[in-house]
Amino acid sequence: MDTNRALAWITNVFAVQGRELRSTDTRATVPEWDSLGDLLLLSMLEEELHIVVSADEIAAINSVVELLALMEKQDAFSSG
Amino acid sequence: MRGVVGCVPPKEVSNERDYPWFEPAEIRKVTAMAGIKTRRVVDDDTCTSDLCYAAATRLLRALDWDPAGIDGLVLVTQTADYVMPSTSCMLQSRLGLPETCAAFDVNLGCSAYAYGLWLCNSLIQSGACRRMLLLTGETPSKFIDPKDRATALLFGDGGSATALEALEDGAAAHYIMMTDGRGADDLIIRGGMFRRRFPDDEADYCLHMHGAHVFEFTRNRVPALIHDLLEASATTVEDYSYFLFHQANEYLIKFLAGRAGIDLARVPLSIGQFGNTGAASVPLTLALAGPPASASGGPYRVMLLGFGVGLSWGGASLQVPAGCLVDHFVYGETA
């Protein structure tokens, strides 16, 4: 997976301004990752990456690393 | 169905212009997903009942209906004037309806119009009522925290009035009503009623929404509702001039339409202009769309779909008869 593209995509989903998210970020370090963030993530995973997950699965993701793992598992942003 | 009139307040708020405390990028993100650019909000002195009263007055006048002949009034809203009495009782008096008119409130939001039509249809078919007014409306601006990112940019105020009467040769309508109270916490105002009369936390007087759960519920439940309504009414999507979805989220509406194979030309939207107006959203969307040109003044078939708070969802497949009045106006505007 192209991690840089994936991180840029996640940054855009949460509309984080002034910096790009890193794999070390978590819910605690990203104020925009609240319940609205979960909704944006759920809808854009489905709309743009065709990854369908449940609301409970989204709520259980607490870090960017876990989110990247989900995306890699679904073959999103494949570097090939 | 003899007529549908929608009413919105004159004050317009713009998501982009009127919320400087949010980052422009996040406003753009929410606006793009939900499809909401502007909304209408009432002033402090105006309630749902005022919007519905204005819509009903305009409707009765346009139809030349004598208020004395109305024997049923149902108000479906989650923003009643008072805890008690029922707002419908006060509207019975304001509208000059007779004492022989049954009047009561129903507490539902997003599914309000489908439930209201089903209820009125049942009362008319049973012979209990002959001429009814169904009023649906909401003033969410009174229960939204303007600083809450999850809800502040989504909701608008609106009211509606629908005139219904018994017809010997009326076309059959089909209804499906559904409930799953396990999702009650997904859209809730926790304070102000009798479970928590005076909560310490001011936020408990405002709407709390678990957007991802509501999104998932809609995505999972509404396709089956459309399918079951088509099956119950022995119709196909081509038989409908309009599919009138509750205006919760433009992306979701388009997703649901695509999933059901519905051409978007048959899916009117009011969300961009008025936001999510709760109980008013379906009749307001019909009123805004007006009769379809393809019907050439004749009858046309519509499917009405409501889904959300409760969790409650329901739909109706019905024929709008020729000559049915469909109109909308701005509150305070003279007829």
Side-chain angles (χ1 to χ4, degrees), chain B residues 121-187:
Chain B
N121 186 53
S122 302
L123 290 168
I124 288 172
Q125 286 213 331
S126 74
C129 294
R130 185 149 186 90
R131 271 191 169 178
M132 298 191 72
L133 280 179
L134 168 62
L135 310 180
T136 68
E138 218 76 83
T139 45
S141 63
K142 293 181 186 289
F143 61 64
I144 296 293
D145 175 356
K147 299 286 174 66
D148 178 5
R149 279 167 24 100
T151 57
L153 305 172
L154 305 180
F155 294 90
D157 301 338
S160 78
T162 301
L164 301 151
E165 74 175 332
L167 290 175
E168 296 307 320
D169 56 349
H174 296 84
Y175 298 90
I176 295 175
M177 300 297 131
M178 307 284 285
T179 311
D180 182 359
R182 289 173 300 177
D185 261 353
D186 291 339
L187 278 157

Side-chain angles (χ1 to χ4, degrees), chain A residues 12 17 32 34 46 54 56, chain B residues 25 29 149 213 216 219:
Chain A
N12 180 52
Q17 296 299 293
E32 296 85 353
D34 56 8
E46 185 172 313
S54 72
D56 287 339
Chain B
K29 188 68 68 182
R149 279 167 24 100
H213 278 168
E216 183 183 28
R219 185 183 65 191

Side-chain angles (χ1 to χ4, degrees), chain B residues 1 6-7 10 23 26 28 36 54 86 101 130 140 152 202 215 218 228-229 240 264 301 307 310-311 315 326:
Chain B
M1 186 185 281
C7 176
E23 285 288 340
E26 69 182 347
R28 278 197 298 276
I36 300 165
S86 285
C101 176
R130 185 149 186 90
E202 287 281 314
F215 184 95
T218 306
D228 293 349
L229 267 172
Y240 291 83
L264 289 178
R301 181 169 280 280
F307 41 86
L311 299 170
V326 178

Side-chain angles (χ1 to χ4, degrees), chain A:
Chain A
M1 187 172 74
D2 184 336
T3 305
N4 288 335
R5 276 177 60 215
L7 287 170
W9 184 87
I10 298 167
T11 303
N12 180 52
V13 166
F14 292 134
V16 173
Q17 296 299 293
R19 74 178 182 108
E20 186 137 302
L21 293 181
R22 292 175 297 192
S23 52
T24 51
D25 276 307
T26 65
R27 277 185 188 267
T29 62
V30 183
E32 296 85 353
W33 195 350
D34 56 8
S35 69
L36 177 64
D38 276 345
L39 172 60
L40 292 168
L41 182 59
L42 185 73
S43 63
M44 293 186 76
L45 277 172
E46 185 172 313
E47 185 180 10
E48 296 189 359
L49 305 183
H50 310 292
I51 298 173
V52 178
V53 288
S54 72
D56 287 339
E57 284 172 305
I58 285 290
I61 297 172
N62 288 308
S63 67
V64 170
V65 164
E66 290 168 23
L67 185 51
L68 289 170
L70 168 76
M71 292 160 76
E72 183 156 32
K73 197 173 154 192
Q74 301 286 333
D75 227 10
F77 300 109
S78 88
S79 36

Side-chain angles (χ1 to χ4, degrees), chain B residues 22-44:
Chain B
F22 294 132
E23 285 288 340
E26 69 182 347
I27 291 176
R28 278 197 298 276
K29 188 68 68 182
V30 174
T31 301
M33 180 195 61
I36 300 165
K37 296 176 185 67
T38 57
R39 294 167 287 114
R40 298 296 181 95
V41 298
V42 293
D43 58 32
D44 287 346

Side-chain angles (χ1 to χ4, degrees), chain B residues 48-70:
Chain B
T48 296
S49 62
D50 300 311
L51 300 178
C52 290
Y53 168 78
T57 302
R58 191 173 176 110
L59 179 61
L60 292 175
R61 195 182 308 132
L63 294 176
D64 198 23
W65 272 19
D66 180 359
I70 292 169

